[in-house]
Amino acid sequence: MSNNGRKLSAQCIGYRCTRGSQKSELLSPWAVQQPRHYHGPTPRPRWKSAAASFHSSLPRLSFANGTVESKTAMMMFGGDALDTKPIRSYLGDLWLLQETGSNRFRWTRVQQGLPRPRPRRGHAAASVQIDGAHFFYIQGGRESNKARSKFLDVWRFGPCQLDYGNDGDHVATLEGEWSMEFDGEGKASVHQPSGRQGQTLVAAEKDGRSALFLLFGRNDTAYFDDMWMFDISYNSWTEIRAKEGEAWPEGRDHHVAMAYAPRQEIWVYGGRGGDTRYTHSHPLGDLWVYSIPSHKWNEVKDMEVKPSSRYLVGHSDTGAGQLYIFGGEGKHKRNDLWVLDVTGEKPIWQQLSKNDCKKLEATKRESNPNHIE
């Protein structure tokens, strides 16, 4: 089956939209998993939303063929509604995606009270487990206005409780509340990341405490190469800086990142860098690893096999040192599937399916060289 140009969101189960047709589908790397007879709710078409998954300590779903031993649910917030208005509409809805059987999935819209985050796109998300409870965090992103304002806030939804009821349908409702953990507006004296979009947010431990690591992103004039840590115990930011002469990744957006807990590492692949004008930016294919204990970055070079350079990549990490990437954009749209294994002495890329997208001409850029998506 040809998955021409599809962008898969987190967990290799995701939501994509072909911008011309406004068509949305629930996807896996190998097949469309949403059955034709399914008439349940689905999110409207969007892109540049943010999603994060919960791990196995949540209640497990039991099926005739066994139990879901790993990730059981994924949350998604916001995104770009892909309309054609002069000022595009961004979304502020919250959805839960859960597996209800073998290769069967269901969307449930989560009811949100007040306060709650404003609609946005290009933000980052991560899930964190604190004292056995799960929380869904979002950070930053772009607001829908003429000024293209960037958010500085950090929001948390939780504690996330999956309530399965007694109907035997294996479908849960999600209960929790939003709280603003960090505002940032009007706090010029506070040390914090600047407003941005296209960044990643990675949950990892630092000195025995849960933290969120913010990586890169961009505004309308530059790609950022900075790195920040958000201490969720004190709701404060700390910038992580390189010492003179140390290796450090170049600025980028729409890259992929994951944590590998046994070695306290953060891995980063790909993205888009250079000049923020489309005509001067370029896809990246480099692989970097950051050691949390030593505060050092190292680029992994001389790999025998590796994916081509790309950004806007669909991705999934297993939580055990494997990172799956699907598709993305480079010189052309792609739909190949790769897995990176970092558990051994040396990381290894393996290609699981080949690219069969038609080699379309490179997307024509806007006539305005300063236009940025």
Side-chain angles (χ1 to χ4, degrees), residues 223-240:
Y223 288 99
F224 295 118
D225 63 355
D226 54 351
M227 181 177 182
W228 295 76
M229 185 186 75
F230 185 72
D231 188 322
I232 62 178
S233 298
Y234 298 98
N235 291 340
S236 62
W237 287 105
T238 300
E239 186 174 6
I240 299 172

Side-chain angles (χ1 to χ4, degrees), residues 71-104:
K71 300 176 181 177
T72 60
M74 182 181 79
M75 291 181 67
M76 179 179 72
F77 177 82
D80 190 330
L82 293 159
D83 54 37
T84 57
K85 299 176 183 178
I87 300 178
R88 297 241 288 265
S89 298
Y90 297 164
L91 302 169
D93 48 352
L94 181 65
W95 289 82
L96 171 70
L97 176 66
Q98 55 189 313
E99 189 170 6
T100 59
S102 178
N103 291 330
R104 299 292 179 183

Side-chain angles (χ1 to χ4, degrees), residues 235-271:
N235 291 340
S236 62
W237 287 105
T238 300
E239 186 174 6
I240 299 172
R241 300 182 180 182
K243 295 180 181 179
E244 186 175 353
E246 288 185 348
W248 194 272
E250 70 173 277
R252 66 193 66 205
D253 72 346
H254 298 307
H255 48 285
V256 176
M258 77 163 181
Y260 181 49
R263 292 200 297 258
Q264 293 186 273
E265 295 171 341
I266 296 176
W267 290 78
V268 170
Y269 163 75

